[in-house]
Amino acid sequence: KQEVTQIPAALSVPEGENLVLNCSFTDSAIYNLQWFRQDPGKGLTSLLLIQSSQREQTSGRLNASLDKSSGRSTLYIAASQPGDSATYLCAVGYGNKLVFGAGTILRVKS
Amino acid sequence: DAGITQSPRHKVTETGTPVTLRCHQTENHRYMYWYRQDPGHGLRLIHYSYGVKDTDKGEVSDGYSVSRSKTEDFLLTLESATSSQTSVYFCAISELSEQYFGPGTRLTVT
């Protein structure tokens, strides 16, 4: 059974810092990996999708990497801002289904 | 934003009553999903659909049924609601790989 772990569970940083969120998974036979953002009381917003054949994807200040063989992905956020405060979820895809990690709660202090 | 709506957005019901949640999409995507989100468990897949009248079970399907008679609508039914089904329910859609989520329905079973 696929298990997805996100570390750390919570993170508090001052504005302007670069930060890394980690995601690990137990079964490397994945189709893709998706990073989401969730604001309190809201739905999930897709940030980045990495296909299994790709090593990384970038969108603005966000960069996600994927190392299938080691079962790891990282989400790098450059020059963090208070508006980045949210829960970040990692989900691995197999077939057309996703398995989610529990998330990392990020707080960026101004 | 992907055109996904969920109704109702909030519902309080009593134990033993039937409840139906609706997910509606305007994107004509083939795949539709129902998830529940609970503290300590993250998001878990309940049921999904890969076409009209084509559905399959997810990780936590006991006590739930689904129907999809049109491409745009995916219904989730709790035949006899229990307190353990108090949760936030999210619908998602996808066509290829990336999943897009609706705003969620907060269901409380008293």
Side-chain angles (χ1 to χ4, degrees):
Chain A
K1 179 185 172 186
Q2 178 73 271
E3 293 183 1
V4 181
T5 304
Q6 291 188 245
I7 295 173
L11 183 62
S12 181
V13 300
E15 181 177 7
E17 270 204 12
N18 302 323
L19 55 100
V20 174
L21 308 182
N22 297 291
C23 172
S24 62
F25 46 94
T26 54
D27 184 349
S28 62
I30 66 170
Y31 282 36
N32 54 58
L33 187 143
Q34 200 166 349
W35 282 94
F36 294 89
R37 169 188 172 134
Q38 185 176 30
D39 293 290
K42 305 291 186 183
L44 281 68
T45 299
S46 179
L47 296 174
L48 290 164
L49 170 72
I50 311 176
Q51 300 292 354
S52 62
S53 58
Q54 297 175 318
R55 294 299 298 249
E56 65 179 332
Q57 281 283 358
T58 298
S59 175
R61 294 183 294 108
L62 305 179
N63 175 276
S65 67
L66 174 63
D67 184 343
K68 265 185 55 175
S69 60
S70 66
R72 282 187 280 190
S73 175
T74 60
L75 179 67
Y76 175 83
I77 302 177
S80 59
Q81 303 170 357
D84 294 331
S85 297
T87 298
Y88 290 81
L89 296 159
C90 160
V92 298
Y94 63 103
N96 284 289
K97 295 186 283 188
L98 291 177
V99 176
F100 281 83
T104 294
I105 302 171
L106 173 65
R107 180 184 171 213
V108 181
K109 299 172 288 186
S110 57
Chain B
D1 289 345
I4 311 169
T5 56
Q6 293 185 231
S7 58
R9 295 292 315 279
H10 301 272
K11 186 170 182 66
V12 180
T13 192
E14 293 185 349
T15 299
T17 59
V19 177
T20 296
L21 309 183
R22 180 184 184 234
C23 177
H24 178 79
Q25 62 151 325
T26 59
E27 306 296 323
N28 202 36
H29 283 0
R30 178 182 175 191
Y31 295 89
M32 298 185 75
Y33 307 82
W34 278 108
Y35 293 87
R36 59 179 291 174
Q37 186 175 35
D38 305 287
H41 290 280
L43 275 122
R44 293 178 291 174
L45 181 64
I46 304 171
H47 282 281
Y48 68 101
S49 168
Y50 46 95
V52 173
K53 299 192 190 305
D54 293 322
T55 65
D56 205 349
K57 296 178 180 180
E59 179 187 357
V60 289
S61 58
D62 287 349
Y64 301 95
S65 63
V66 290
S67 65
R68 191 171 179 197
S69 59
K70 297 185 290 185
T71 298
E72 58 266 36
D73 289 324
F74 192 33
L75 304 180
L76 177 71
T77 298
L78 291 64
E79 301 290 347
S80 178
T82 67
S83 58
S84 65
Q85 294 176 311
T86 292
S87 186
V88 180
Y89 291 85
F90 287 102
C91 172
I93 65 173
S94 75
E95 184 58 37
L96 295 174
S97 299
E98 194 164 3
Q99 288 194 19
Y100 302 94
F101 281 73
T105 293
R106 182 173 296 276
L107 176 67
T108 302
V109 183
T110 62

